[in-house]
Amino acid sequence: GAVVSQHPSRVICKSGTSVKIECRSLDFQATTMFWYRQFPKQSLMLMATSNEGSKATYEQGVEKDKFLINHASLTLSTLTVTSAHPEDSSFYICSASRDRVYEQYFGPGTRLTVT
Amino acid sequence: QKEVEQNSGPLSVPEGAIASLNCTYSDRGSQSFFWYRQYSGKSPELIMSIYSNGDKEDGRFTAQLNKASQYVSLLIRDSQPSDSATYLCAAYSGNTGKLIFGQGTTLQVKP
């Protein structure tokens, strides 16, 4: 159990467009979902934490108007990168937790390239 | 000072040897510790969790925790080339409610 999927796995978009990334917990209900970003040869940086039906909590330095997070159900969270720029190119990874927030199950990640 | 620190490596060991990966953390409020394995271009995969001082063994992996020294380690016995990956140490603090990752140690197991 505890499988998390992400879609798409890879996306290339033009600068100024918006991209939506979906994160789904397939076999459990996720009380909390997390969005991370990872630049090459760097560690995972938490962008935001979201609970179903609530507004996401963003980390310092992460623009909430640029990275829109919607946690519509206990199995789905979406991250929309609005007006993407080349510096937003990164590996975006979601994770989900059940009852213990520190036990996070990671999705396979989405490689975003903005040209 | 980074909250979770790891030597970036690469750590190179011959096949069959023991690989020893180390991690220190700064937040004394950290309660739970995790080791993730990340292959190039893939997302992290949880391989070990440890919550109390001492050793925890799971197959070829042993995690060690010393809260007094704020130190966590991972030993991989009988290392295989398939163990070649980046190993991320993570600490969870109940104070912040966040899982903080180290930068990772790259392990190379040479056949």
Side-chain angles (χ1 to χ4, degrees):
Chain A
V3 179
V4 177
S5 70
Q6 266 184 258
H7 178 81
S9 58
R10 191 177 289 269
V11 58
I12 300 172
C13 70
K14 291 186 185 296
S15 186
T17 61
S18 295
V19 173
K20 181 185 282 189
I21 302 170
E22 288 188 351
C23 176
R24 292 182 185 271
S25 57
L26 298 184
D27 53 0
F28 67 100
Q29 292 188 322
T31 52
T32 309
M33 286 186 164
F34 306 84
W35 287 95
Y36 294 85
R37 181 168 52 182
Q38 186 178 38
F39 292 106
K41 304 224 181 280
Q42 293 187 25
S43 192
L44 277 74
M45 296 301 296
L46 180 65
M47 298 176 66
T49 302
S50 74
N51 293 288
E52 184 260 342
S54 304
K55 288 186 179 179
T57 302
Y58 290 81
E59 293 301 300
Q60 193 172 11
V62 178
E63 299 174 57
K64 62 180 180 181
D65 294 331
K66 181 171 182 61
F67 298 100
L68 301 179
I69 292 172
N70 185 289
H71 195 156
S73 74
L74 284 171
T75 59
L76 173 64
S77 177
T78 60
L79 168 68
T80 301
V81 183
T82 62
S83 187
H85 288 97
E87 58 266 30
D88 298 324
S89 298
S90 188
F91 192 40
Y92 291 86
I93 310 171
C94 74
S95 70
S97 62
R98 289 187 283 207
D99 33 329
R100 288 180 284 198
V101 69
Y102 48 82
E103 285 188 356
Q104 297 184 22
Y105 302 94
F106 283 85
T110 297
R111 178 79 56 193
L112 170 64
T113 303
V114 185
T115 60
Chain B
Q1 181 190 8
K2 294 179 183 174
E3 293 182 67
V4 178
E5 290 209 55
Q6 296 179 255
N7 188 320
S8 60
L11 171 66
S12 184
V13 301
E15 184 175 356
I18 296 175
S20 177
L21 305 163
N22 305 313
C23 170
T24 58
Y25 60 95
S26 60
D27 183 357
R28 283 200 173 272
S30 299
Q31 304 158 327
S32 309
F33 305 87
F34 306 88
W35 284 98
Y36 288 84
R37 177 175 60 199
Q38 187 175 25
Y39 292 113
S40 181
K42 304 294 185 183
S43 70
E45 172 193 8
L46 179 65
I47 54 173
M48 287 288 284
S49 59
I50 187 165
Y51 307 111
S52 54
N53 280 330
D55 295 0
K56 179 181 176 182
E57 187 174 316
D58 183 0
R60 294 187 297 114
F61 300 99
T62 298
Q64 299 173 318
L65 173 61
N66 183 326
K67 290 187 179 180
S69 300
Q70 295 175 246
Y71 178 88
V72 193
S73 67
L74 178 71
L75 300 178
I76 306 175
R77 288 181 298 281
D78 189 23
S79 295
Q80 301 297 309
S82 58
D83 294 327
S84 299
T86 296
Y87 289 81
L88 300 169
C89 171
Y92 176 81
S93 169
N95 294 335
T96 63
K98 297 176 191 175
L99 194 60
I100 305 297
F101 287 85
Q103 66 181 77
T105 298
T106 299
L107 172 65
Q108 296 174 345
V109 181
K110 296 188 182 292

